[in-house]
Amino acid sequence: MISFQRYQRWQKWLKEIPALNDSMNGIIARSFILTKGNLEEVEFVTGASKQDIFKVYEWLSEKKLIDGLISLEKEDEDKGEIEHMAVVAKGKKKKERTFTREEMVDYAKKKLLEANKGISFVSLKHNVLTCEYEGRTFKVYISSSRDYESFRKGLDYEPYRVSAWNKGSQEMFSSCDYYALLVKVDKNTKYITEYEDNIEGMFVNQEELNKWLSQKVAVPSGMINFYVHYSQSKDEGRNSITVIDDREEPALSLNHLYQKGWSII
């Protein structure tokens, strides 16, 4: 669909659904147009909650505006895709996970043991790992993401980059002493990980996280979204890693946080 056709569709939607004039509702609706109705990509692009996305989806469905959103060249596929979206929107089908909590926890433990001799692990409740080190107890929140780089098409896809989307509530990212932001690297990537488990990530304390958050723009949903990209040069591998949070404009460099490692301070 050319840009003018997208504009015409957007103007029609605004006339039919005035609520789309609201900032976040409008962003979600335009993302439906740009991603041709891919719910997971809409969530990734906007950072909106599933509840807000499905609310807009239902508005569009009621007005039958979502019909024909995808290219007319694949009309038969379009019908199946719309039906699939409706199933997903009702929470009846979930996309297969590319990792387990256990492997992410095991990775965090391995990194902590390497950097902090004598550390011990007391308990694990949900995603919170309680540890003991040098006479004190602390908690590590383990945030996991799949690799979203494979969602990109054409020239937007970079085989030597990993795209992580770590997300959560304000309460979640203010309740622990440390945070491990991890991503399961896509199996088709050319990005070289440190270990064979194909996990990448970094480790920050609450103070470092607060400073990072102070540079981010809040979203209406109240959720915190970290779009962290790990990139390597083609011929240098792990000797050339750069890390940014590119949800913000301009992007925030995270090299200093990545390079400091997993030491408990």
Side-chain angles (χ1 to χ4, degrees):
M1 183 186 296
I2 63 174
S3 297
F4 182 66
Q5 289 175 308
R6 288 174 176 168
Y7 175 77
Q8 286 182 311
R9 184 184 296 275
W10 170 239
Q11 292 302 311
K12 179 182 178 180
W13 286 12
L14 282 176
K15 290 180 181 179
E16 293 283 339
I17 308 175
L20 296 183
N21 282 298
D22 173 78
S23 177
M24 180 49 70
N25 291 338
I27 290 172
I28 293 170
R30 290 194 296 273
S31 295
F32 269 111
I33 295 173
L34 292 173
T35 66
K36 299 181 180 179
N38 186 307
L39 284 175
E40 190 160 23
E41 289 191 10
V42 170
E43 186 180 8
F44 176 54
V45 169
T46 63
S49 67
K50 286 184 174 64
Q51 181 180 359
D52 288 340
I53 293 172
F54 296 155
K55 176 183 66 178
V56 174
Y57 172 82
E58 288 172 355
W59 290 345
L60 296 172
S61 295
E62 288 172 1
K63 297 286 186 177
K64 300 187 183 303
L65 297 175
I66 204 76
D67 297 342
L69 179 63
I70 306 173
S71 171
L72 295 177
E73 295 177 2
K74 297 185 177 181
E75 186 171 351
D76 292 339
E77 293 181 14
D78 295 350
K79 183 177 180 181
E81 177 67 13
I82 296 300
E83 291 173 351
H84 170 71
M85 288 168 57
V87 170
V88 174
K90 293 177 182 179
K92 295 181 179 179
K93 186 172 182 179
K94 294 183 179 180
K95 190 154 184 172
E96 182 181 356
R97 291 174 67 89
T98 59
F99 58 86
T100 65
R101 183 183 67 162
E102 288 74 19
E103 66 179 314
M104 292 299 196
V105 171
D106 287 344
Y107 177 85
K109 287 181 175 179
K110 177 167 55 180
K111 294 292 289 183
L112 287 167
L113 282 167
E114 289 178 349
N116 308 279
K117 302 303 180 183
I119 192 172
S120 61
F121 306 113
V122 179
S123 64
L124 174 68
K125 185 175 182 180
H126 304 300
N127 291 336
V128 178
L129 178 65
T130 300
C131 311
E132 286 185 355
Y133 182 62
E134 295 185 345
R136 67 186 181 99
T137 301
F138 59 91
K139 294 182 178 181
V140 178
Y141 181 82
I142 301 174
S143 176
S144 304
S145 170
R146 67 185 300 155
D147 183 355
Y148 283 84
E149 189 63 31
S150 61
F151 284 60
R152 303 179 193 278
K153 310 298 180 182
L155 296 177
D156 288 336
Y157 174 73
E158 294 187 16
Y160 294 94
R161 180 174 65 187
V162 174
S163 298
W165 180 19
N166 297 100
K167 55 189 180 294
S169 65
Q170 295 276 354
E171 180 180 3
M172 181 185 298
F173 287 113
S174 62
S175 59
C176 291
D177 304 287
Y178 294 90
Y179 300 86
L181 305 182
L182 307 180
V183 55
K184 180 70 173 185
V185 176
D186 186 77
K187 62 182 180 180
N188 295 318
T189 189
K190 294 184 179 180
Y191 184 97
I192 300 172
T193 57
E194 186 176 6
Y195 304 107
E196 292 182 357
D197 49 19
N198 290 332
I199 296 174
E200 181 60 278
M202 59 183 178
F203 184 70
V204 297
N205 62 34
Q206 186 68 69
E207 182 179 354
E208 291 165 336
L209 184 65
N210 290 343
K211 185 174 181 179
W212 181 358
L213 292 177
S214 70
Q215 302 175 73
K216 294 176 69 64
V217 176
V219 296
S221 67
M223 296 292 284
I224 297 174
N225 297 281
F226 303 99
Y227 295 164
V228 181
H229 295 307
Y230 304 85
S231 300
Q232 296 176 347
S233 297
K234 179 178 178 180
D235 299 318
E236 297 184 40
R238 296 197 62 78
N239 294 321
S240 61
I241 298 175
T242 59
V243 187
I244 63 170
D245 178 353
D246 89 333
R247 182 184 180 277
E248 310 311 315
E249 185 63 40
L252 303 176
S253 174
L254 305 174
N255 290 332
H256 63 294
L257 295 178
Y258 181 80
Q259 292 167 3
K260 79 177 187 61
W262 287 65
S263 295
I264 302 298
I265 302 176

